[in-house]
């Protein structure tokens, strides 16, 4: 039963994926890692590769097809250093928030690769100036669309054997100043992107026993809580 | 140059993806659609398939490896109907927010598949009761981790030729009441999941010319705005 509103140009297709596609996607998902500074190689990324990452981002789902994303590509050392200064400030503020037991471990962790990664990408949410279909009851849906774009890029990067690290220990307002971003834009993600010397077999914080992996049974409910 | 903190058990591996993997991932990304009610088939989803979707979700990136997600699987018609009531209320509130020109088109759109999809998944953010690494400067990073889990599921569903529709026209507090969710949890996404009679070649709202696709040049900046 096709739903065909007047004056719509519709076309359906039967693009059908096989078991091999499922298996490859699962491998990409399971082998994706958050890559830190000490792993990045300084070799620059080819333009075609950056284009492939952006194409993945631009085909993310977005509420009301609003595509509310903007991407700033950063290679300039001076700009990177200014962003890194914000990381250092925020990271110093973070340390005392952890337990005395956790603090020495926290300090040992390398939590960003802003200078080491040949490319940084700041990802912004740009709010629409008119109402957005699907965003009237949950205004945060626009931000979530931008996160879907980040995750598409992250998986495409892994398929291309490129590492991405998401730096969230930053003052978003300082980063906006550095990049002269419009005041209504919101910084969603700051990504460090580059080839790496390898990928860990498990998340680094799992290997370091900072946190344990949660079991499916602990987080899946049926019909309600 | 390996970074090896004392007492860390490290293992790196050279899992290397080839061109074919890149091409398959790109196909999955480009063919993923937001699927509405009139496309879902009523055939139930196999448990193994639901498990595969959840495995994809649980391997999403999460800030500080906090894995702050919870999933409620819903098949009960009574529960679904209660959620759908919230959709209907919020959708009625949405209509007058659009221009007079857009309203007739908005009313014609089928924007959810709550009853038609054999499975609904409510996806929640569960805040941590202790400080989370990486979340000290940007508290929204936890919500974003949950969105990454949704996008992983969405892509895995597409590889399995299963449709997902994200319903955001809901009152999150009403959905929480229906599902008896803990008050500190936040509803991030409400997904309709099921086999479909096909996937559109383009996003439905693009075909209907509700919104235009943005060009890369319009949303990519270099070194700053």
């Amino acid at each position: 039963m096709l739903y065909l509103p007047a004056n719509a140009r519709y076309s359906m297709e039967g693009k059908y994926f096989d078991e091999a596609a499922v298996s490859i996607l699962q491998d990409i998902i399971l082998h994706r890692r958050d890559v830190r500074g000490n792993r990045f190689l300084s070799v620059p990324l080819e333009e075609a590769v950056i284009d492939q990452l952006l194409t993945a981002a631009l085909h993310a789902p977005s509420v009301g097809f609003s595509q509310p994303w903007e991407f700033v590509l950063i290679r300039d050392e001076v700009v990177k250093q200014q962003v890194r200064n914000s990381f250092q400030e925020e990271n110093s503020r973070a340390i005392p928030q952890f337990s005395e037991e956790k603090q020495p471990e926290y300090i040992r962790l390398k939590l960003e690769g802003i200078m080491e990664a040949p490319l940084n990408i700041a990802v912004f949410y740009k709010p629409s100036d008119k109402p957005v279909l699907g965003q009237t009851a949950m205004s945060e849906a626009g931000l979530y669309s931008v996160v879907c774009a980040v995750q598409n890029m992250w998986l495409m990067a892994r398929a291309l054997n490129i590492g991405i690290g998401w730096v969230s220990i930053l003052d978003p307002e300082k980063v906006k100043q550095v990049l002269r971003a419009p005041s209504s834009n919101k910084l969603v993600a700051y990504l460090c992107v580059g080839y790496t010397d390898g990928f860990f077999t498990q998340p680094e914080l799992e290997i370091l026993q900072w946190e344990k992996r949660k079991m499916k049974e602990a987080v899946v409910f049926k019909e309600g809580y």
Side-chain angles (χ1 to χ4, degrees), chain A:
Chain A
M1 195 186 72
L2 265 172
Y3 161 71
L4 282 169
N7 71 33
R9 300 170 297 106
Y10 263 93
S11 143
M12 298 279 291
E13 81 160 26
K15 175 82 188 170
Y16 192 85
F17 291 101
D18 60 13
E19 277 295 327
V22 172
S23 162
I24 285 171
L25 177 61
Q26 174 144 323
D27 265 359
I28 295 168
I29 286 173
L30 297 185
H31 291 273
R32 185 210 47 78
R33 292 288 167 265
D34 190 278
V35 174
R36 313 300 168 74
N38 38 14
R39 307 250 65 93
F40 286 113
L41 307 179
S42 60
V43 284
L45 292 161
E46 305 85 347
E47 283 300 323
V49 151
I50 297 170
D51 213 59
Q52 209 148 10
L53 298 180
L54 291 170
T55 297
L58 297 180
H59 286 83
S62 69
V63 60
F65 198 49
S66 58
Q67 310 154 76
W69 37 58
E70 292 188 336
F71 307 87
V72 182
L73 310 182
I74 303 152
R75 295 182 183 88
D76 188 302
E77 297 284 304
V78 176
V79 178
K80 284 159 102 183
Q81 187 59 59
Q82 288 173 323
V83 174
R84 187 157 196 280
N85 292 345
S86 175
F87 166 80
Q88 284 182 305
E89 276 173 37
E90 295 306 320
N91 203 41
S92 304
R93 283 202 187 100
I95 296 164
Q97 299 185 41
F98 292 87
S99 66
E100 282 190 28
E101 193 195 343
K102 285 272 195 187
Q103 284 182 27
E105 200 181 340
Y106 185 98
I107 292 164
R108 277 205 307 272
L109 291 166
K110 167 77 174 165
L111 295 176
E112 50 75 48
I114 297 167
M115 301 309 293
E116 297 91 339
L119 178 69
N120 291 185
I121 307 180
V123 187
F124 287 93
Y125 165 62
K126 183 191 179 69
S128 172
D129 50 12
K130 49 183 190 178
V132 172
L133 185 154
Q135 204 174 342
T136 51
M138 292 178 74
S139 61
E140 61 273 40
L143 290 166
Y144 297 168
S145 303
V146 180
V147 177
C148 289
V150 170
Q151 182 60 2
N152 266 12
M153 266 203 284
W154 211 336
L155 293 172
M156 181 52 79
R158 186 59 189 87
L160 291 160
N161 305 294
I162 289 167
I164 285 188
W166 180 329
V167 186
S168 53
I169 307 171
L170 289 171
D171 177 341
E173 291 308 313
K174 291 218 173 125
V175 176
K176 280 174 65 175
Q177 271 171 35
V178 170
L179 302 177
R180 301 175 303 278
S183 61
S184 59
N185 277 25
K186 187 171 157 74
L187 180 73
V188 171
Y190 193 89
L191 309 174
C192 304
V193 188
Y195 289 105
T196 78
D197 61 358
F199 290 88
F200 287 118
T201 50
Q202 287 171 268
E204 198 170 356
L205 293 175
E206 185 179 14
I207 295 170
L208 293 167
Q209 302 182 321
W210 177 271
E211 282 291 349
K212 289 191 182 66
R213 179 171 288 283
K214 291 183 182 174
M215 292 296 101
K216 205 171 284 180
E217 295 67 35
V219 296
V220 178
F221 300 83
K222 290 193 177 164
E223 308 302 344
Y225 281 84

